[in-house]
Amino acid sequence: SSDVCSSDLDAVWSYATPPLVVPHPAFDLWMPLATFIAALPMLVAGPSWAAAQAGTAIASACLAPLAWRIGRDAGLANGLDARRTRAVALTAGLLAATLAPLVLAGAAPESTTAFSLAGTVVALLIPGAVSGARRPGWRGALPGIALGVALGVAWLARQEAIWLAATVLLCLAWAARREP
C-alpha cells in the first residue's frame, strides 16, 4: 500500500515500527555514517547527487590502499619473503579496487561503502590492539582505543559491526590464552 512506502515514517534506527511486516520498507533503518560521508562534499559543492556520490567514491577509493596494507602486514607477520609479501599485498589491493560489489557500492551514497571502509580499518587495527594489550602503560592502550573508535565508527555505518566486535573479542581471548 502507499502508506507502507511513504517517506514520512518516524523510524530512523529500528525495524520495530509499524508496519510490523517483513519485508520492511528499505531505509527505515539508516545508520548515520553514510549520510555524513555524502553530506560533507555536499557542504562544499552544494546539494546534488554528484556531490553525494563524490563522498562515497572517495571513501571507496580508500579501500584498495587499506587492503594493500593489510596484505602487506599479513605477509610480514607470517614470515613471507619480500616477493611473496608484495604479491599478497598487491592482490589484496587489486581485489578491493576491482571486486564488483565494492565498485558498484562506491557509485551511490549508501551504507555498504561506509561499512566496508570502517570494517577494513578495524581489520587493520586488530593486530596492533592484540599485541598492544600485552604492553603496559598508556602506549599499550592506544591501539586498543583506536580499535574501539573504529568499531564505533563501523557501528555508525551498520549494525553488523557487532560481529566485528565479537571477532575482536575472540582475537583477544585467543591471544590471552597463549600468554602465561
Side-chain angles (χ1 to χ4, degrees):
S1 74
S2 64
D3 57 70
V4 171
C5 296
S6 70
S7 62
D8 62 347
L9 289 173
D10 293 330
V12 174
W13 295 75
S14 175
Y15 279 117
T17 59
L20 300 176
V21 296
V22 174
H24 204 70
F27 305 116
D28 222 13
L29 175 68
W30 184 264
M31 301 296 273
L33 186 60
T35 301
F36 297 150
I37 290 173
L40 289 174
M42 291 172 75
L43 285 173
V44 175
S48 70
W49 178 255
Q53 281 181 307
T56 305
I58 291 167
S60 182
C62 295
L63 286 173
L66 288 171
W68 172 87
R69 175 67 189 264
I70 290 170
R72 188 194 71 145
D73 291 352
L76 293 173
N78 287 294
L80 297 180
D81 62 48
R83 184 180 60 81
R84 287 187 174 148
T85 297
R86 278 193 306 273
V88 168
L90 183 61
T91 302
L94 284 173
L95 283 173
T98 60
L99 203 59
L102 296 176
V103 172
L104 292 174
E110 54 100 80
S111 66
T112 300
T113 299
F115 184 69
S116 297
L117 182 60
T120 304
V121 170
V122 166
L124 182 65
L125 295 173
I126 287 174
V130 169
S131 65
R134 292 182 231 140
R135 288 189 298 254
W138 66 273
R139 288 187 189 264
L142 286 178
I145 292 169
L147 178 60
V149 169
L151 283 166
V153 170
W155 178 260
L156 291 175
R158 286 195 177 181
Q159 292 178 340
E160 288 91 341
I162 193 70
W163 299 113
L164 294 174
T167 302
V168 169
L169 290 175
L170 286 173
C171 289
L172 288 172
W174 182 267
R177 187 180 73 106
R178 294 172 49 192
E179 292 293 317

